[in-house]
Each structure stands twice: as C-alpha cells, then as structure tokens.
Amino acid sequence: MSGLKLPISLEFFPPKTPEGVEKLRAVRQQLYALKPEFCSVTYGAGGSTQEGTFSTVSAILSEGVAAASHFSCIGATKASVREELATLKAMGVKRLVALRGDLPSGYGAGGEFHYASDLVAFIRAETGDDFHIEVAAYPEVHPQAKSPEADLQAFSTKVKAGANSAITQYFYNSDAYFRFVDDVHKLGVDVPVVPGIMPITSSSQLLRFSDACGAEIPRWIRLRLQGFGDDLASIKAFGLDVVTDLCDQLITAGVPSVHFYTMNQSAATMEIVRRL
Ligand code: FAD
C-alpha cells in the first residue's frame, strides 16, 4: 500500500521499442515506492500487442509485483482465447482485465465474442476461479451504448457473468461516478467499482483522446487547458491541482481503491499520491 490508507493500482501500456522497454522498467521502479496492489498492462485489440503485453506482465511478475493482463476478445476465437489463458496461467498471472476492445476501423468484427460479458462467462467456464476478473465501467456512458440505461444493464450483465471488480474509464466529474455506483447497486451489482484516474500532463493529447473513449473534459477544464497554449509548466501545475482534488473527493467519499492510468510516466502519479 502507498502512504495512502487505501490500495492503489497502476496501468501501463506495452512499449514498442527497446528504449521504451528500458524507460518503462525505470518508471516502474520509481512507482513501486507507492506499493501498488497490482500493475496492469493494456492489450491491443485483435491481439496486436500480445507479445509486448505478455512480456511486460512477465517483467512485472519477475520484479515481485502482482500483474494483471488486459485481455480483449473482439475478433478472437474460443480456441485462441483458451490458448492465451493457458499461457497466462503458466506465467503465474492471477488477474485479468476482461474487455471487448475496439478493432481499428476497416476490420470486420468477426470472431466468436461480441461483448466483454461473453469473454467473462467464457473465462469463468474454462478456468473456474483461477483468475480475479476486472471489467471496464463507464460512468459517463460508453460511446456506443444504445442508451445510458442499456449501458447500465450491459455492465450489470457483465459483472453477473463472473467479474470480481471493475475499473472505470477516467472522468473529471465525480458526480457521474457516484451516480453510476448508486445506479448499479440498484441493479444488484455489489462488486467494487474502482475509479480510473488519468493525470493531466498535456493538453492536446487529452482533448483528442477523450472524445473517442467516452470521457468528458468539463468545459472549464478544456478552456483553461486551451488558454495555457504551449505553457507545459502551467498545464502540469493545473493538472496536478485538479486531479488531486478529484482523488481527494473520491477518497473522502470512501472509494475502495484508486487505479492510475500512468501513461508510462511516473512523475504525475507520484506527485498526486504524495499530495494526498
Ligand atoms: P462491453 O462491456 O462489451 O461494452 C461495449 C458496448 O456494447 C457498450 O456500449 C455496451 O453498452 C454494449 N453492450 C454490452 N453488452 C451488450 C449486449 N448484450 N447487447 C447490446 N449492447 C451491449 N481497450 C483495449 O483495446 N485494450 C485495453 O487494454 C483496454 N483497457 C481498458 C481498461 C479500462 C479500465 C477501460 C475502461 C477501457 C479499456 N479499453 C481497452 C477500452 C475498451 O476496450 C473499449 O472501451 C471498448 O469499446 C469496450 O470494451 P468493454 O469491455 O467495455 O465492452
């Protein structure tokens, strides 16, 4: 556990170059000072990063830290998923983040899985309780959902298929998170829903990324970021204040844990936890 009185977890993406691998190794060593409960590694839809995901997971395990492999099912077959689960089990992985994923446009959906709930049910049927299964949650509604109500139902179905806990898409509006947690409780979901926290370290990347993934940047944050232009120091200082305040509100309200999207950087996450 970090100096905080609740567990934290950290997310990384698999680096693409040998330099990236070395840089991430150094970043992890710094972040391990926070004593994360586990570190998770993202997985490109269609298995595009499988090798990098598995080797990063393996490196984390060899450093004596619990690792979770993200695992997306879009485009996959039951045979390919079965094989990958066996590999992960043999590596000593005990935790998965089970996702549908998004195929790049131009790819047909194909495959034998349509939704994350299909994957969760399959993992449970095939491997019993071998894995702790996390799923994704969208307090501000998944961008492809037919309606907010349908999205809540889909989340409830996914949890009831056998998930142990959930991690949210990042958000900067805590009311959306609190409302989501209340609403899913009413649907009988009682697993922990851990807020996913994205530190703000740059402006254009965050604004571009958020539109696509179902996270809203509130107008006041968007305008303040745009107003800073290229002044990176001001963007970082503002981002630290905003995200620390958000975490503070969530922790005060009693969230079970906090998951940081580190973007393979250590400074912002470490400073936020230090301030908390
Ligand atoms: P699902 O839960 O299957 O939901 C997808 C959509 O389908 C939603 O709109 C939902 O409302 C709808 N839906 C679900 N079930 C039904 C049903 N039965 N009938 C009709 N509609 C239904 N992406 C990656 O590629 N790699 C990663 O490593 C990765 N990690 C992530 C980690 C977290 C914590 C989060 C929040 C997201 C992550 N993503 C990742 C992004 C994720 O893959 C995308 O958001 C994707 O579009 C949805 O995946 P899901 O598992 O939430 O899908």
Side-chain angles (χ1 to χ4, degrees):
M1 216 182 271
S2 64
L4 281 171
K5 295 221 164 26
L6 81 171
I8 66 162
S9 51
L10 305 170
E11 182 170 314
F12 304 112
F13 58 84
K16 291 201 179 84
T17 62
E19 297 75 40
V21 169
E22 279 320 304
K23 186 175 162 266
L24 179 57
R25 198 185 305 282
V27 162
R28 284 198 306 270
Q29 290 307 326
Q30 290 164 341
L31 285 166
Y32 287 163
L34 305 179
K35 305 248 182 312
E37 185 188 19
F38 67 92
C39 293
S40 80
V41 185
T42 62
Y43 180 103
S48 54
T49 67
Q50 195 218 73
E51 207 181 312
T53 301
F54 287 11
S55 66
T56 309
V57 164
S58 204
I60 294 168
L61 290 171
S62 73
E63 290 157 352
V65 175
S69 183
H70 291 217
F71 196 114
S72 72
C73 63
I74 193 88
T77 62
K78 289 182 180 169
S80 67
V81 170
R82 193 174 285 128
E83 199 178 305
E84 290 190 41
L85 289 172
T87 305
L88 288 164
K89 202 171 148 188
M91 285 163 58
V93 174
K94 303 234 165 4
R95 193 183 274 260
L96 301 174
V97 183
L99 303 146
R100 183 195 71 175
D102 295 306
L103 280 182
S105 56
Y107 280 71
E112 294 182 88
F113 297 86
H114 299 292
Y115 299 109
S117 53
D118 302 334
L119 178 64
V120 173
F122 184 76
I123 297 171
R124 278 287 172 247
E126 292 278 317
T127 63
D129 288 333
D130 289 347
F131 295 104
H132 176 112
I133 304 177
E134 306 266 359
V135 287
Y138 301 85
E140 294 178 328
V141 186
H142 185 266
Q144 291 155 10
K146 288 200 187 89
S147 67
E149 292 72 24
D151 206 31
L152 288 168
Q153 278 297 345
F155 177 74
S156 160
T157 304
K158 177 162 70 172
V159 170
K160 288 172 186 169
N164 300 96
S165 46
I167 301 172
T168 75
Q169 185 57 277
Y170 63 87
F171 56 87
Y172 297 103
N173 173 3
S174 56
D175 285 342
Y177 169 81
F178 295 129
R179 166 65 59 186
F180 180 85
V181 171
D182 282 353
D183 286 349
V184 297
H185 274 165
K186 287 180 199 147
L187 294 176
V189 171
D190 58 2
V191 301
V193 178
V194 174
I197 301 295
M198 178 74 87
I200 298 175
T201 55
S202 88
S203 171
S204 53
Q205 193 193 7
L206 183 76
L207 297 177
R208 213 177 39 242
F209 193 48
S210 301
D211 285 339
C213 70
E216 188 197 47
I217 308 298
R219 174 182 157 83
W220 67 276
I221 296 183
R222 185 180 287 267
L223 290 177
R224 292 294 301 273
L225 287 175
Q226 285 166 345
F228 291 129
D230 293 335
D231 177 359
L232 207 53
S234 298
I235 291 171
K236 287 184 174 174
F238 173 75
L240 284 172
D241 285 349
V242 168
V243 178
T244 306
D245 283 352
L246 172 68
C247 292
D248 207 18
Q249 273 182 49
L250 293 165
I251 292 168
T252 304
V255 295
S257 171
V258 179
H259 181 81
F260 285 97
Y261 293 104
T262 70
M263 302 303 284
N264 291 7
Q265 309 280 334
S266 60
T269 300
M270 295 201 63
E271 177 59 14
I272 291 165
V273 175
R274 190 193 67 75
R275 291 186 185 193
L276 291 168

